[in-house]
Amino acid sequence: MNLSVSAWSFEALPIEGALAVCHFLGFKSVALAGFRNRGESSYDPDVVAADPRHAADHLLPLLEKYVLRPVDFFVQFENNFIDRAINHPDQAVRQKNIDAFREIVRFCQLTHIPNITLLPGMEHLGLTREQNLETAADVFRTLLDIAQPAGITVCFEPHMQSLTDTPERALELLSRVPGLQVALDYSHFVLQYVELERIHALIPHTGIVHIRQARFGKLQTRHAEGTIDFVDIASRLKAVNYTGSLALEYVCAPWFDVNQVDTLTETLTTKRALEAYIPVT
C-alpha cells in the first residue's frame, strides 16, 4: 500500500509539467489520465488506441526523467458521461470502446501500468435498470477477458449521476463481474450524505483509492474542512491485505464547484498529513 498522486490534479499543465510537479512534491508514483478533451496533462484515449507504441514512447522517458512509477490509467472516452458510456445502448458505440480498450491494454503493458480505471455507465432513458446494469456487466466481462491475460486489473469508479451512484449499486455490478474492482472515491458518496459505514463495504473490492477531502453536500473541500478519516480507511484497507495505491486526487473543474480549491496546496497538505501512516513509495 502506498500514497501516490494523480497527474490530472495539475491538468492546466502539459504532461511533462504535471509530472515535474508530482516529482517535486516528493511523490514516487503517479496515476495518469486518459481523458478526452479535458486538461493539458491527459492522453486522449482514442489517440493512444490508434498507436499505443507511439504513446508509450512519449510517456516512458518522462516517467524515467521524473522518477515516477505509474499506478493507474484512468480512461474517459468522452468529456461527458453519455456519448461513450460503457453501457451505451448502441452496440456500435460499445464495440468502439472495446476495440479502443484492447489497444489501451497494449499501451499499459508497454508502460508497466498495472491498472485501468473506467466509468461504470449510465441509467439510459427508455431502458430498465436491469437492462442498463446487465449491459454494463456484459461489457466489463469482455474487458476483463482482454485485460487479465495481460496482467492488468480493471476498475470502475462509482460516481454521482452514474449507474453506480451508491455503494449498494456498485456492489450489485461487482456481483455480476467476478474479478472487476472499484476505484474507491469516498467523496462521491459523502457528497450525497452517504454514511461512511455503507461506503466501507466496498473496501474488499478495491483496486485503487482516490483521496480528496469532502463533507456532506460537498464533493471536494480543503483538507482542513473535510470530514473523511483517511487514516482509518488506510487501516481498514490494511486489514483486508490491500496492496494497491491511494492516489491523491484534488481536481479543478466546474462540476459540483470543485474549482474552488487550490489543488497544489491541498495535495501537499494532505500528503503531509498522511505520509506518516501511508508510505510514499
Side-chain angles (χ1 to χ4, degrees):
M1 186 166 65
N2 75 301
L3 193 65
S4 63
V5 66
S6 302
W8 63 92
S9 289
F10 317 111
E11 64 184 359
L13 297 171
I15 183 63
E16 181 166 5
L19 294 179
V21 171
C22 295
H23 170 77
F24 286 110
L25 286 174
F27 289 97
K28 305 297 183 184
S29 51
V30 64
L32 299 155
F35 299 159
R36 173 115 175 122
N37 289 333
R38 175 184 157 186
E40 296 296 320
S41 66
S42 178
Y43 286 89
D44 184 302
D46 288 330
V47 173
V48 171
D51 193 342
R53 168 62 70 179
H54 179 76
D57 287 346
H58 181 266
L59 176 60
L60 282 169
L62 297 177
L63 293 173
E64 183 178 4
K65 180 177 180 178
Y66 295 106
V67 200
L68 290 165
R69 176 176 60 89
V71 295
D72 184 47
F73 191 53
F74 192 176
V75 175
Q76 295 180 20
F77 288 113
E78 193 47 87
N79 63 355
N80 62 66
F81 299 143
I82 298 291
D83 290 350
R84 294 279 296 275
I86 285 294
N87 65 339
H88 196 283
D90 187 338
Q91 193 275 335
V93 174
R94 300 197 301 273
Q95 189 62 50
K96 181 178 181 179
N97 292 340
I98 291 168
D99 292 343
F101 180 85
R102 191 182 311 276
E103 299 307 313
I104 288 167
V105 165
R106 177 60 179 153
F107 166 74
C108 290
Q109 286 181 296
L110 292 168
T111 53
H112 313 293
I113 300 174
N115 192 80
I116 299 172
T117 295
L118 298 154
L119 299 182
M122 300 296 293
E123 292 280 14
H124 296 285
L125 297 177
L127 298 174
T128 66
R129 171 160 178 80
E130 172 60 27
Q131 288 172 315
N132 283 316
L133 185 62
E134 186 50 37
T135 299
D138 183 59
V139 172
F140 275 117
R141 286 190 285 265
T142 299
L143 300 184
L144 282 174
D145 287 343
I146 296 168
Q148 285 182 331
I152 293 171
T153 303
V154 179
C155 296
F156 69 93
E157 182 181 58
H159 66 88
M160 183 69 173
Q161 301 177 335
S162 77
L163 181 69
T164 57
D165 57 354
T166 70
E168 293 77 18
R169 288 178 172 179
L171 288 166
E172 192 176 6
L173 179 55
L174 286 165
S175 72
R176 298 182 182 220
V177 191
L180 184 62
Q181 298 188 41
V182 295
L184 181 55
D185 186 336
Y186 275 69
S187 69
H188 286 289
F189 300 124
V190 170
L191 167 68
Q192 303 175 73
Y193 298 85
V194 174
E195 301 87 351
L196 293 182
E197 286 302 321
R198 289 170 58 194
I199 310 171
H200 292 332
L202 291 171
I203 283 177
H205 308 281
T206 295
I208 189 168
V209 181
H210 292 161
I211 287 184
R212 61 180 169 204
Q213 272 297 354
R215 63 175 184 268
F216 285 165
K218 197 71 173 176
L219 180 61
Q220 180 173 275
T221 69
R222 295 172 179 83
H223 178 80
E225 297 169 350
T227 60
I228 304 173
D229 186 348
F230 286 112
V231 174
D232 176 68
I233 291 167
S235 176
R236 292 171 183 270
L237 288 163
K238 185 176 180 180
V240 299
N241 298 315
Y242 176 75
T243 58
S245 192
L246 293 86
L248 294 177
E249 193 209 18
Y250 287 96
V251 299
C252 183
W255 196 54
F256 287 98
D257 292 329
V258 295
N259 55 4
Q260 303 303 303
V261 167
D262 176 355
T263 62
L264 180 64
T265 298
E266 298 310 317
T267 298
L268 184 57
T269 299
T270 306
K271 173 180 178 284
R272 287 171 173 168
L274 297 180
E275 60 189 349
Y277 307 95
I278 307 166
V280 182
T281 59

